[in-house]
Amino acid sequence: MVQANVTSDRRTDEQKNEVSSSGASRSKHVLRDIALHKLRSSVKEIQQDVVRRVHDELDSMVHDVLSVVEKSPALADNVNNLFNNHAHSATEKKRPSERVFVARPSLLTELFEVKHIRSIYHMFLAVLIIALVNNIATDVLNGAGVRLGLRYVHIGFGKLGWALGLWACMFCCTVLVYPVYCTWAEYRPNCRFIRLWDGLYSLVLATYVCAFATIPPYMKGYDMPVASAAVVLLEQTRLLMKVHAFIRSQTPHVLNHTKPLPGFERFLYFIFAPTLIYRDTYPRTKCIRWWFVTVRLLEVLGAILLISFIVEHYLVPQYGSFGVEQHTWSTLATSVFRTMLPGTLILLCGFYLLLHAWLNGWAETLRFADRQFYRDWWNAASYGEYYRTWNFFGLGMAFSFVKYNSDVGNIFLWTTLAIGTGVQVSFYSMELCARLNCAQVDDTWWDLFVPRSWSCHGLT
C-alpha cells in the first residue's frame, strides 16, 4: 500500500510539472505574439509617418515652384513649352539623343573587377595556354621546330617605315585643314561674294579628300604588306571621319555667328582623342596611370602574337597552296568549316586588341575619361542590337531585322557570326595566298576588283 501511494504521488507530481511547463510555453507564445503585434503596429506607424512627411515635403516643394513660376511670366512660358514639347514628342517617333560624355570605365574593365568574371577570364587564358603548348609540342615532335607566329608578324608589318611616312603625310594634311577652315570662317561674314568664297573652300576640301583617295594605289605600287596596309587604311578612314566631325559640328556656328571657333589645341586633341564626336571639352582624369598603359600595351602585343599564331597554324596550312595548285569546291567547303573556330578567335582577338586594349591605353595616355567604346554586344539577341552595341560592320546584314527571344536570338547570333566570320576569313586568306603565289597579269585598276583566286588555278 505504501509503495502504491508513493507511485501515485509521483504521477501526480509529473502531471503538475507537465501542466506548469505547458502553461509556461503558452505564456511565452502569448508574450511573443503580443511583442510581434506591438512591433507591427510601431512599424506601421513609422511607415505612415514617413509617407505623411514625404507627402508634406512634396506639397511644399510644388507650392514653392508654382509660386515662383506665377511670379515669372517668362519662366511660365518655358514650362508650358516644355510640357507641350513632351506631349508632342510622345506622339512622334523617338529621335536618337546626342552622345553625352561622362567619366566611366570600359565594360570589360568593370566586369574584370568581379571575382567570378575574372576567374572565367583566367580559365580562358589557361585553355589558350594549353592549346598553344599542344601546338608547339606537336611541331617539335614532328620536327617542324617552334613556330610562335613571329615570322608572320615580321612579314605582316613589313615596310612599316613607309607606312609611318604615309601616316605623317596624312597627319600634316589633316592639321592644315584647321587654318584653311579658320580662314574661310573669318573672312566669310565680310565677303561680298559669299557663294564664290564657299565654292572655293569646298574645292579645297574636295581636293583634300581626293588626295586621301590616292593612298590605296600608292600602297599597291610599293607592295605594302597586309598589317602595314591595314594600319594606313584605318588611319586614313579615322582622319577623314575626324575632319568631317569637326567641320560638321562647327559649320552651323559659323553660318549663324553663334559661337567662335575653338582653339588649335582643342582641334589637335580631338585628332588624337579616341572618339569621332567633337566636343570643345571632354571629361579628363586627374593623372596618367602608367601601369595601366603598360598592361594594355602588353595585351596589344599578346593579341597580335596570338592572331599571327592562328594564321600560321590554322590558315596557312589550309590556303597556302591557293594560286599554286588546283582546288575543288569540296576542298574549299572543308577549309571553310575548319576555319570557323580560328576565324571566331581572330574576331574576338581583334575586338579585344582594338576596342579594349588599344583604345583604353590610348585614352589613359590622353587622360580621356569616357571609356565607353563598346557595350555588351555579346549579349545581343539580334544583329540590329549587335551593330548598335559594337559599331563593327561585318556579315549578317540579311539577318539584321530577324528577332527572337533573348536566349534563342543570342545562340542564333553567335552561330551565324561564327559561320560568317569563317567564310570571310576563308575568302580573304584564299585571295591573299593567290595574290602572293600568282604573278600579276593585268597591271590595271581592274586587277584590284577581280579575285585572282578565280583566274589563277581557280576552283574546279
Side-chain angles (χ1 to χ4, degrees):
M1 290 294 294
V2 175
Q3 186 176 2
N5 292 331
V6 172
T7 303
S8 62
D9 292 338
R10 289 180 178 175
R11 290 177 180 175
T12 303
D13 294 336
E14 291 176 356
Q15 291 177 356
K16 292 180 179 180
N17 292 332
E18 291 178 357
V19 172
S20 62
S21 62
S22 62
S25 62
R26 289 178 181 176
S27 62
K28 290 181 179 178
H29 285 296
V30 172
L31 292 175
R32 187 183 63 181
D33 293 339
I34 294 173
L36 289 176
H37 179 71
K38 290 183 178 180
L39 181 61
R40 290 193 189 98
S41 300
S42 301
V43 171
K44 191 173 182 179
E45 291 177 359
I46 294 173
Q47 182 180 5
Q48 292 176 353
D49 183 62
V50 170
V51 172
R52 185 174 60 254
R53 290 185 179 182
V54 171
H55 186 269
D56 294 340
E57 290 292 335
L58 288 175
D59 285 342
S60 177
M61 184 174 63
V62 171
H63 181 269
D64 294 339
V65 171
L66 292 177
S67 62
V68 172
V69 171
E70 290 175 357
K71 294 179 181 178
S72 177
L75 185 58
D77 294 337
N78 292 333
V79 173
N80 189 23
N81 294 331
L82 176 63
F83 282 100
N84 290 334
N85 292 335
H86 178 73
H88 183 68
S89 62
T91 59
E92 293 183 346
K93 186 177 179 181
K94 184 178 180 181
R95 298 179 180 178
S97 58
E98 293 185 355
R99 170 69 181 267
V100 178
F101 290 90
V102 296
R104 52 190 165 185
S106 292
L107 183 56
L108 284 182
T109 304
E110 290 184 324
L111 291 177
F112 288 156
E113 294 178 357
V114 180
K115 183 178 180 181
H116 303 289
I117 303 297
R118 190 165 60 250
S119 297
I120 296 175
Y121 173 71
H122 294 162
M123 292 167 58
F124 176 79
L125 289 180
V127 172
L128 188 61
I129 292 173
I130 292 173
L132 294 176
V133 172
N134 178 45
N135 282 277
I136 293 173
T138 302
D139 291 339
V140 172
L141 293 177
N142 292 333
V146 179
R147 296 183 300 167
L148 298 177
L150 296 176
R151 176 171 174 264
Y152 286 90
V153 173
H154 182 266
I155 294 175
F157 286 96
K159 297 185 179 180
L160 189 59
W162 284 104
L164 294 177
L166 280 175
W167 178 87
C169 294
M170 291 189 298
F171 176 75
C172 292
C173 293
T174 303
V175 170
L176 290 176
V177 170
Y178 179 81
V180 173
Y181 186 80
C182 290
T183 302
W184 168 76
E186 181 180 357
Y187 290 98
R188 188 180 186 278
N190 301 322
C191 183
R192 297 177 58 185
F193 306 99
I194 294 181
R195 291 186 178 181
L196 180 62
W197 184 247
D198 293 343
L200 181 62
Y201 168 74
S202 300
L203 180 63
V204 173
L205 184 62
T207 303
Y208 163 79
V209 175
C210 293
F212 267 62
T214 61
I215 293 176
Y218 186 81
M219 291 189 299
K220 179 179 179 294
Y222 281 89
D223 195 19
M224 194 166 291
V226 177
S228 298
V231 170
V232 174
L233 290 177
L234 288 174
E235 282 296 291
Q236 173 195 15
T237 305
R238 186 184 70 88
L239 292 175
L240 281 173
M241 296 180 72
K242 291 277 190 177
V243 171
H244 171 74
F246 178 78
I247 294 177
R248 184 177 182 272
S249 64
Q250 297 302 314
T251 301
H253 301 298
V254 174
L255 298 179
N256 299 323
H257 310 287
T258 57
K259 183 181 177 182
L261 289 176
F264 177 73
E265 66 281 357
R266 293 182 177 178
F267 174 78
L268 189 61
Y269 182 84
F270 171 65
I271 293 297
F272 289 101
T275 179
L276 295 175
I277 302 175
Y278 178 80
R279 295 288 187 272
D280 289 338
T281 58
Y282 299 96
R284 308 285 293 274
T285 57
K286 296 181 179 179
C287 61
I288 300 176
R289 299 172 296 174
W290 290 109
W291 64 268
F292 185 87
V293 178
T294 304
V295 172
R296 300 289 84 80
L297 180 60
L298 292 177
E299 288 178 345
V300 169
L301 296 177
I304 292 175
L305 288 176
L306 180 58
I307 293 175
S308 180
F309 185 88
I310 293 173
V311 169
E312 185 173 8
H313 283 78
Y314 296 99
L315 299 184
V316 173
Q318 295 291 332
Y319 304 101
S321 59
F322 272 83
V324 178
E325 302 175 357
Q326 198 81 19
H327 291 269
T328 62
W329 287 100
S330 60
T331 304
L332 176 62
T334 303
S335 300
V336 168
F337 281 104
R338 289 178 179 176
T339 313
M340 287 182 183
L341 182 58
T344 305
L345 289 177
I346 291 176
L347 177 71
L348 295 176
C349 289
F351 155 73
Y352 194 86
L353 185 156
L354 182 61
L355 295 182
H356 181 73
W358 177 259
L359 290 183
N360 270 281
W362 193 244
E364 185 68 28
T365 305
L366 296 176
R367 294 171 49 211
F368 189 85
D370 194 345
R371 312 287 172 85
Q372 192 187 46
F373 306 121
Y374 54 88
R375 287 183 287 176
D376 56 337
W377 59 269
W378 48 86
N379 292 327
S382 66
Y383 272 95
E385 184 181 359
Y386 168 72
Y387 293 134
R388 288 191 298 270
T389 53
W390 191 8
N391 299 324
F392 185 86
F393 187 85
L395 297 180
M397 279 300 294
F399 308 105
S400 60
F401 300 104
V402 179
K403 295 182 179 180
Y404 302 95
N405 62 51
S406 58
D407 294 334
V408 176
N410 192 250
I411 295 173
F412 174 81
L413 174 76
W414 277 104
T415 303
T416 53
L417 195 62
I419 296 174
T421 304
V423 173
Q424 191 175 19
V425 171
S426 299
F427 286 168
Y428 272 112
S429 302
M430 181 175 64
E431 180 63 21
L432 176 62
C433 293
R435 288 183 175 272
L436 292 176
N437 295 328
C438 278
Q440 184 178 1
V441 178
D442 187 10
D443 190 13
T444 61
W445 276 84
W446 187 246
D447 182 67
L448 297 176
F449 299 98
V450 177
R452 199 173 298 179
S453 57
W454 293 2
S455 58
C456 185
H457 298 285
L459 298 172
T460 58

